[in-house]
């Protein structure tokens, strides 16, 4: 029996989020319930190209649950990646929702306005459009820098300011590494 070799390549895209804290030492940002919303989840693939379905089917993808992810001034919070269909999307259609709370350690003294009772904000942000859309076999990392000036609204502490994400890195999704030969019996 002759050994057949297969090449596997990624035909989807990956999207993840990174949160950078600019709140300073002694403050940890906890980011929970992170969802990617509005990405089309239906299309067809002909072996080389994705074609979106005539009727888009938006989907929600969960990027962080449970305890969430934590960001400090020295460590960014990075979510899980969502595997999505490669696609172009219109401005203001793909959004991210999440809950963020600033947790002060014992060495920090809180100075400033009031926070909501539970110390957290529910945030919705729009992802910027990528030139050419999300391409197959690429990973997209959107980054938000969080600090007091861009999160706390001094006129209404219970309503957060809009968060803006930037797309700072697009990388090729590397091919799977070879783990040895696999034999497939395709019939004799």
């Amino acid at each position: 029996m002759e050994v057949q070799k297969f090449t596997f390549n990624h035909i989807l895209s990956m999207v993840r989020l990174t949160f950078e804290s600019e709140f300073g030492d002694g403050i940890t940002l906890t980011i929970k319930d992170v969802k990617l919303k509005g990405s089309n989840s239906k299309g067809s693939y002909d072996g080389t190209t994705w074609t979106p379905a005539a009727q888009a089917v938006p989907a929600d993808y969960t990027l962080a649950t449970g305890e969430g992810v934590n960001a400090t001034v020295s460590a960014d919070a990075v979510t899980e990646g969502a595997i999505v269909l490669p696609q172009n999307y219109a401005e203001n259609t793909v959004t991210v929702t999440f809950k963020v709370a600033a947790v002060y350690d014992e060495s920090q003294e809180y100075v400033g306005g009031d926070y909501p009772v539970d110390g957290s904000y529910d945030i919705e942000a729009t992802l910027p459009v990528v030139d050419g859309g999300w391409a197959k076999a690429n990973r997209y990392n959107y980054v938000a820098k969080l600090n007091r000036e861009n999160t706390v609204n001094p006129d209404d502490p219970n309503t957060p300011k809009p968060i803006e994400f930037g797309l700072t890195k697009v990388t090729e999704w590397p091919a799977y590494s070879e783990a040895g030969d696999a034999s497939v019996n395709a019939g004799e």
Side-chain angles (χ1 to χ4, degrees), residues 20-68:
E20 296 178 355
S21 174
E22 295 179 341
F23 272 79
D25 292 327
I27 301 170
T28 299
L29 296 180
T30 299
I31 298 125
K32 296 181 178 181
D33 303 326
V34 183
K35 291 188 176 20
L36 175 71
K37 298 182 171 195
S39 170
N40 185 21
S41 65
K42 192 168 184 179
S44 59
Y45 185 68
D46 67 7
T48 57
T49 306
W50 278 99
T51 303
Q55 181 67 35
V57 180
D60 293 354
Y61 299 89
T62 300
L63 303 178
T65 60
E67 296 297 314

Short mmCIF file of all heavy atoms in Angstrom, two decimals, residues 20-68:
data_model
loop_
_atom_site.label_atom_id
_atom_site.label_comp_id
_atom_site.label_asym_id
_atom_site.label_seq_id
_atom_site.Cartn_x
_atom_site.Cartn_y
_atom_site.Cartn_z
N GLU A 20 -4.98 46.49 26.85
CA GLU A 20 -3.80 47.03 27.52
C GLU A 20 -4.27 48.00 28.60
O GLU A 20 -5.04 48.91 28.32
CB GLU A 20 -2.90 47.74 26.52
CG GLU A 20 -2.32 46.84 25.46
CD GLU A 20 -1.47 47.58 24.44
OE1 GLU A 20 -1.40 48.83 24.48
OE2 GLU A 20 -0.88 46.88 23.58
N SER A 21 -3.77 47.79 29.82
CA SER A 21 -4.14 48.69 30.92
C SER A 21 -3.13 49.82 31.04
O SER A 21 -1.93 49.59 31.08
CB SER A 21 -4.18 47.92 32.24
OG SER A 21 -4.40 48.84 33.31
N GLU A 22 -3.66 51.03 31.11
CA GLU A 22 -2.83 52.21 31.36
C GLU A 22 -3.27 52.86 32.68
O GLU A 22 -3.09 54.05 32.89
CB GLU A 22 -2.95 53.19 30.20
CG GLU A 22 -2.40 52.62 28.90
CD GLU A 22 -2.54 53.58 27.72
OE1 GLU A 22 -3.36 54.52 27.78
OE2 GLU A 22 -1.82 53.37 26.72
N PHE A 23 -3.85 52.05 33.57
CA PHE A 23 -4.32 52.57 34.85
C PHE A 23 -3.20 52.74 35.86
O PHE A 23 -3.37 53.43 36.85
CB PHE A 23 -5.41 51.65 35.44
CG PHE A 23 -6.79 52.01 34.99
CD1 PHE A 23 -7.23 51.61 33.74
CD2 PHE A 23 -7.65 52.72 35.79
CE1 PHE A 23 -8.50 51.93 33.30
CE2 PHE A 23 -8.92 53.05 35.37
CZ PHE A 23 -9.35 52.65 34.12
N GLY A 24 -2.07 52.10 35.69
CA GLY A 24 -0.96 52.25 36.60
C GLY A 24 -0.79 51.06 37.53
O GLY A 24 -1.60 50.13 37.54
N ASP A 25 0.27 51.11 38.33
CA ASP A 25 0.58 50.03 39.25
C ASP A 25 -0.50 49.88 40.31
O ASP A 25 -1.12 50.85 40.73
CB ASP A 25 1.92 50.30 39.95
CG ASP A 25 3.10 50.22 38.99
OD1 ASP A 25 3.01 49.41 38.05
OD2 ASP A 25 4.08 50.94 39.19
N GLY A 26 -0.71 48.65 40.73
CA GLY A 26 -1.65 48.37 41.82
C GLY A 26 -3.10 48.28 41.39
O GLY A 26 -3.98 48.15 42.23
N ILE A 27 -3.36 48.36 40.09
CA ILE A 27 -4.74 48.29 39.60
C ILE A 27 -4.80 47.17 38.56
O ILE A 27 -4.05 47.15 37.60
CB ILE A 27 -5.20 49.61 38.98
CG1 ILE A 27 -5.12 50.73 40.01
CG2 ILE A 27 -6.62 49.48 38.42
CD1 ILE A 27 -5.31 52.10 39.46
N THR A 28 -5.72 46.25 38.77
CA THR A 28 -5.94 45.16 37.83
C THR A 28 -7.29 45.36 37.17
O THR A 28 -8.29 45.59 37.85
CB THR A 28 -5.93 43.79 38.55
OG1 THR A 28 -4.65 43.61 39.17
CG2 THR A 28 -6.19 42.65 37.58
N LEU A 29 -7.32 45.30 35.85
CA LEU A 29 -8.59 45.35 35.12
C LEU A 29 -9.04 43.93 34.87
O LEU A 29 -8.29 43.11 34.36
CB LEU A 29 -8.42 46.06 33.78
CG LEU A 29 -8.04 47.53 33.83
CD1 LEU A 29 -7.93 48.09 32.43
CD2 LEU A 29 -9.04 48.32 34.64
N THR A 30 -10.27 43.63 35.27
CA THR A 30 -10.85 42.32 35.00
C THR A 30 -11.87 42.51 33.89
O THR A 30 -12.80 43.31 34.01
CB THR A 30 -11.52 41.75 36.26
OG1 THR A 30 -10.52 41.60 37.27
CG2 THR A 30 -12.14 40.40 35.97
N ILE A 31 -11.67 41.77 32.80
CA ILE A 31 -12.53 41.89 31.63
C ILE A 31 -13.26 40.55 31.46
O ILE A 31 -12.62 39.52 31.32
CB ILE A 31 -11.72 42.25 30.38
CG1 ILE A 31 -11.05 43.62 30.59
CG2 ILE A 31 -12.60 42.30 29.15
CD1 ILE A 31 -9.61 43.64 30.41
N LYS A 32 -14.60 40.60 31.52
CA LYS A 32 -15.40 39.37 31.48
C LYS A 32 -16.45 39.46 30.39
O LYS A 32 -16.74 40.53 29.86
CB LYS A 32 -16.13 39.18 32.81
CG LYS A 32 -15.26 38.97 34.00
CD LYS A 32 -16.14 38.76 35.23
CE LYS A 32 -15.30 38.50 36.44
NZ LYS A 32 -16.14 38.26 37.62
N ASP A 33 -17.06 38.29 30.14
CA ASP A 33 -18.20 38.19 29.21
C ASP A 33 -17.92 38.86 27.88
O ASP A 33 -18.73 39.62 27.36
CB ASP A 33 -19.46 38.77 29.85
CG ASP A 33 -19.81 38.10 31.16
OD1 ASP A 33 -19.57 36.88 31.27
OD2 ASP A 33 -20.30 38.77 32.06
N VAL A 34 -16.76 38.58 27.30
CA VAL A 34 -16.35 39.20 26.05
C VAL A 34 -16.99 38.45 24.88
O VAL A 34 -16.85 37.23 24.76
CB VAL A 34 -14.81 39.18 25.90
CG1 VAL A 34 -14.40 39.90 24.61
CG2 VAL A 34 -14.14 39.81 27.11
N LYS A 35 -17.71 39.19 24.04
CA LYS A 35 -18.39 38.59 22.89
C LYS A 35 -18.09 39.39 21.63
O LYS A 35 -18.09 40.61 21.64
CB LYS A 35 -19.89 38.55 23.12
CG LYS A 35 -20.31 37.58 24.21
CD LYS A 35 -21.81 37.44 24.25
CE LYS A 35 -22.35 36.43 25.21
NZ LYS A 35 -21.58 35.97 26.27
N LEU A 36 -17.86 38.66 20.54
CA LEU A 36 -17.73 39.24 19.21
C LEU A 36 -19.09 39.06 18.55
O LEU A 36 -19.61 37.96 18.50
CB LEU A 36 -16.65 38.49 18.42
CG LEU A 36 -16.45 38.87 16.96
CD1 LEU A 36 -15.81 40.25 16.86
CD2 LEU A 36 -15.56 37.84 16.27
N LYS A 37 -19.67 40.16 18.04
CA LYS A 37 -21.03 40.10 17.49
C LYS A 37 -21.07 40.67 16.07
O LYS A 37 -20.35 41.60 15.75
CB LYS A 37 -21.99 40.90 18.37
CG LYS A 37 -22.11 40.35 19.77
CD LYS A 37 -23.11 41.15 20.58
CE LYS A 37 -23.36 40.46 21.90
NZ LYS A 37 -24.54 40.99 22.54
N GLY A 38 -21.97 40.10 15.26
CA GLY A 38 -22.24 40.66 13.94
C GLY A 38 -21.45 40.05 12.81
O GLY A 38 -21.63 40.43 11.65
N SER A 39 -20.58 39.11 13.09
CA SER A 39 -19.80 38.46 12.04
C SER A 39 -20.69 37.47 11.30
O SER A 39 -21.42 36.71 11.91
CB SER A 39 -18.62 37.74 12.69
OG SER A 39 -17.97 36.92 11.76
N ASN A 40 -20.62 37.48 9.98
CA ASN A 40 -21.43 36.56 9.19
C ASN A 40 -20.92 35.13 9.40
O ASN A 40 -19.73 34.87 9.35
CB ASN A 40 -21.36 36.91 7.70
CG ASN A 40 -22.27 36.05 6.86
OD1 ASN A 40 -23.22 35.45 7.35
ND2 ASN A 40 -21.99 35.98 5.58
N SER A 41 -21.84 34.21 9.61
CA SER A 41 -21.45 32.83 9.90
C SER A 41 -21.87 31.84 8.82
O SER A 41 -21.82 30.63 9.03
CB SER A 41 -22.07 32.39 11.23
OG SER A 41 -23.48 32.36 11.12
N LYS A 42 -22.29 32.35 7.67
CA LYS A 42 -22.74 31.44 6.62
C LYS A 42 -22.13 31.83 5.28
O LYS A 42 -22.13 32.99 4.90
CB LYS A 42 -24.26 31.46 6.53
CG LYS A 42 -24.81 30.34 5.68
CD LYS A 42 -26.31 30.21 5.85
CE LYS A 42 -26.79 29.01 5.06
NZ LYS A 42 -28.19 28.79 5.19
N GLY A 43 -21.62 30.82 4.57
CA GLY A 43 -21.03 31.03 3.27
C GLY A 43 -20.66 29.70 2.65
O GLY A 43 -20.91 28.65 3.24
N SER A 44 -20.07 29.75 1.49
CA SER A 44 -19.64 28.51 0.84
C SER A 44 -18.19 28.67 0.38
O SER A 44 -17.72 29.78 0.11
CB SER A 44 -20.54 28.17 -0.35
OG SER A 44 -20.51 29.21 -1.30
N TYR A 45 -17.50 27.55 0.31
CA TYR A 45 -16.09 27.54 -0.06
C TYR A 45 -15.92 26.60 -1.25
O TYR A 45 -16.35 25.45 -1.21
CB TYR A 45 -15.25 27.06 1.13
CG TYR A 45 -13.78 27.11 0.91
CD1 TYR A 45 -13.12 28.33 0.79
CD2 TYR A 45 -13.02 25.95 0.84
CE1 TYR A 45 -11.74 28.39 0.60
CE2 TYR A 45 -11.65 26.00 0.65
CZ TYR A 45 -11.02 27.22 0.53
OH TYR A 45 -9.66 27.27 0.34
N ASP A 46 -15.30 27.11 -2.32
CA ASP A 46 -15.16 26.29 -3.53
C ASP A 46 -13.77 25.66 -3.67
O ASP A 46 -13.41 25.16 -4.73
CB ASP A 46 -15.49 27.12 -4.77
CG ASP A 46 -14.48 28.24 -5.03
OD1 ASP A 46 -13.43 28.31 -4.34
OD2 ASP A 46 -14.74 29.06 -5.92
N GLY A 47 -13.01 25.69 -2.62
CA GLY A 47 -11.65 25.14 -2.66
C GLY A 47 -10.59 26.21 -2.72
O GLY A 47 -9.42 25.95 -2.42
N THR A 48 -10.97 27.42 -3.12
CA THR A 48 -10.01 28.53 -3.15
C THR A 48 -10.60 29.82 -2.57
O THR A 48 -9.89 30.62 -2.00
CB THR A 48 -9.52 28.83 -4.58
OG1 THR A 48 -10.64 29.10 -5.42
CG2 THR A 48 -8.71 27.69 -5.14
N THR A 49 -11.91 30.02 -2.72
CA THR A 49 -12.52 31.29 -2.35
C THR A 49 -13.78 31.08 -1.52
O THR A 49 -14.57 30.18 -1.80
CB THR A 49 -12.89 32.08 -3.62
OG1 THR A 49 -11.73 32.20 -4.44
CG2 THR A 49 -13.41 33.47 -3.29
N TRP A 50 -13.96 31.96 -0.54
CA TRP A 50 -15.20 31.98 0.24
C TRP A 50 -16.20 32.92 -0.42
O TRP A 50 -15.84 34.01 -0.86
CB TRP A 50 -14.94 32.50 1.66
CG TRP A 50 -14.43 31.44 2.57
CD1 TRP A 50 -13.13 31.22 2.92
CD2 TRP A 50 -15.19 30.46 3.25
NE1 TRP A 50 -13.04 30.16 3.77
CE2 TRP A 50 -14.30 29.67 3.99
CE3 TRP A 50 -16.55 30.15 3.30
CZ2 TRP A 50 -14.72 28.60 4.77
CZ3 TRP A 50 -16.97 29.09 4.09
CH2 TRP A 50 -16.05 28.33 4.81
N THR A 51 -17.46 32.52 -0.47
CA THR A 51 -18.54 33.36 -0.96
C THR A 51 -19.58 33.47 0.14
O THR A 51 -20.07 32.44 0.63
CB THR A 51 -19.20 32.73 -2.21
OG1 THR A 51 -18.18 32.55 -3.21
CG2 THR A 51 -20.30 33.62 -2.75
N PRO A 52 -19.89 34.70 0.57
CA PRO A 52 -20.88 34.82 1.64
C PRO A 52 -22.26 34.38 1.15
O PRO A 52 -22.59 34.48 -0.03
CB PRO A 52 -20.87 36.32 1.98
CG PRO A 52 -20.25 36.99 0.81
CD PRO A 52 -19.40 35.98 0.11
N ALA A 53 -23.07 33.89 2.08
CA ALA A 53 -24.44 33.51 1.76
C ALA A 53 -25.20 34.75 1.31
O ALA A 53 -24.91 35.87 1.73
CB ALA A 53 -25.12 32.89 2.98
N ALA A 54 -26.19 34.56 0.43
CA ALA A 54 -27.01 35.67 -0.06
C ALA A 54 -27.67 36.39 1.11
O ALA A 54 -27.78 37.61 1.13
CB ALA A 54 -28.06 35.16 -1.04
N GLN A 55 -28.12 35.65 2.09
CA GLN A 55 -28.71 36.22 3.30
C GLN A 55 -27.71 36.01 4.44
O GLN A 55 -27.47 34.88 4.85
CB GLN A 55 -30.04 35.52 3.63
CG GLN A 55 -30.75 36.05 4.85
CD GLN A 55 -31.24 37.47 4.66
OE1 GLN A 55 -31.64 37.87 3.58
NE2 GLN A 55 -31.19 38.26 5.71
N ALA A 56 -27.09 37.09 4.92
CA ALA A 56 -26.10 36.98 5.99
C ALA A 56 -26.74 36.40 7.25
O ALA A 56 -27.91 36.66 7.54
CB ALA A 56 -25.51 38.35 6.29
N VAL A 57 -25.96 35.62 7.98
CA VAL A 57 -26.42 35.04 9.24
C VAL A 57 -25.41 35.48 10.31
O VAL A 57 -24.38 34.84 10.52
CB VAL A 57 -26.48 33.49 9.16
CG1 VAL A 57 -26.94 32.92 10.49
CG2 VAL A 57 -27.39 33.05 8.03
N PRO A 58 -25.70 36.62 10.99
CA PRO A 58 -24.77 37.10 12.01
C PRO A 58 -24.70 36.11 13.18
O PRO A 58 -25.68 35.47 13.52
CB PRO A 58 -25.36 38.43 12.47
CG PRO A 58 -26.40 38.78 11.46
CD PRO A 58 -26.83 37.51 10.82
N ALA A 59 -23.51 36.02 13.77
CA ALA A 59 -23.31 35.12 14.89
C ALA A 59 -22.58 35.85 16.01
O ALA A 59 -21.89 36.84 15.78
CB ALA A 59 -22.51 33.90 14.45
N ASP A 60 -22.76 35.33 17.22
CA ASP A 60 -22.02 35.81 18.39
C ASP A 60 -20.99 34.75 18.76
O ASP A 60 -21.29 33.57 18.76
CB ASP A 60 -22.96 36.03 19.58
CG ASP A 60 -23.95 37.17 19.36
OD1 ASP A 60 -23.85 37.86 18.33
OD2 ASP A 60 -24.81 37.34 20.22
N TYR A 61 -19.79 35.20 19.09
CA TYR A 61 -18.71 34.31 19.50
C TYR A 61 -18.25 34.76 20.89
O TYR A 61 -17.97 35.93 21.10
CB TYR A 61 -17.53 34.37 18.53
CG TYR A 61 -17.89 33.94 17.13
CD1 TYR A 61 -18.35 34.85 16.19
CD2 TYR A 61 -17.77 32.61 16.76
CE1 TYR A 61 -18.67 34.45 14.90
CE2 TYR A 61 -18.09 32.20 15.47
CZ TYR A 61 -18.54 33.12 14.55
OH TYR A 61 -18.86 32.72 13.29
N THR A 62 -18.12 33.83 21.81
CA THR A 62 -17.65 34.15 23.15
C THR A 62 -16.14 34.03 23.19
O THR A 62 -15.58 32.99 22.82
CB THR A 62 -18.29 33.20 24.19
OG1 THR A 62 -19.71 33.37 24.12
CG2 THR A 62 -17.81 33.51 25.59
N LEU A 63 -15.46 35.11 23.63
CA LEU A 63 -14.00 35.14 23.67
C LEU A 63 -13.43 35.03 25.08
O LEU A 63 -12.25 34.76 25.24
CB LEU A 63 -13.49 36.42 23.01
CG LEU A 63 -13.94 36.66 21.57
CD1 LEU A 63 -13.40 37.97 21.05
CD2 LEU A 63 -13.53 35.53 20.67
N ALA A 64 -14.25 35.29 26.09
CA ALA A 64 -13.81 35.15 27.49
C ALA A 64 -15.05 34.97 28.36
O ALA A 64 -16.00 35.73 28.26
CB ALA A 64 -13.01 36.36 27.95
N THR A 65 -15.02 33.94 29.19
CA THR A 65 -16.13 33.66 30.11
C THR A 65 -15.59 33.48 31.52
O THR A 65 -14.39 33.60 31.75
CB THR A 65 -16.88 32.38 29.69
OG1 THR A 65 -15.94 31.29 29.73
CG2 THR A 65 -17.50 32.49 28.32
N GLY A 66 -16.47 33.13 32.43
CA GLY A 66 -16.06 32.80 33.80
C GLY A 66 -15.33 33.94 34.47
O GLY A 66 -15.84 35.05 34.55
N GLU A 67 -14.12 33.66 34.89
CA GLU A 67 -13.31 34.67 35.60
C GLU A 67 -12.80 35.76 34.67
O GLU A 67 -12.28 36.77 35.11
CB GLU A 67 -12.14 33.99 36.31
CG GLU A 67 -12.56 33.03 37.40
CD GLU A 67 -13.31 33.73 38.52
OE1 GLU A 67 -12.86 34.80 38.98
OE2 GLU A 67 -14.36 33.20 38.91
N GLY A 68 -12.91 35.54 33.38
CA GLY A 68 -12.46 36.54 32.42
C GLY A 68 -10.96 36.56 32.27
O GLY A 68 -10.27 35.58 32.56
#
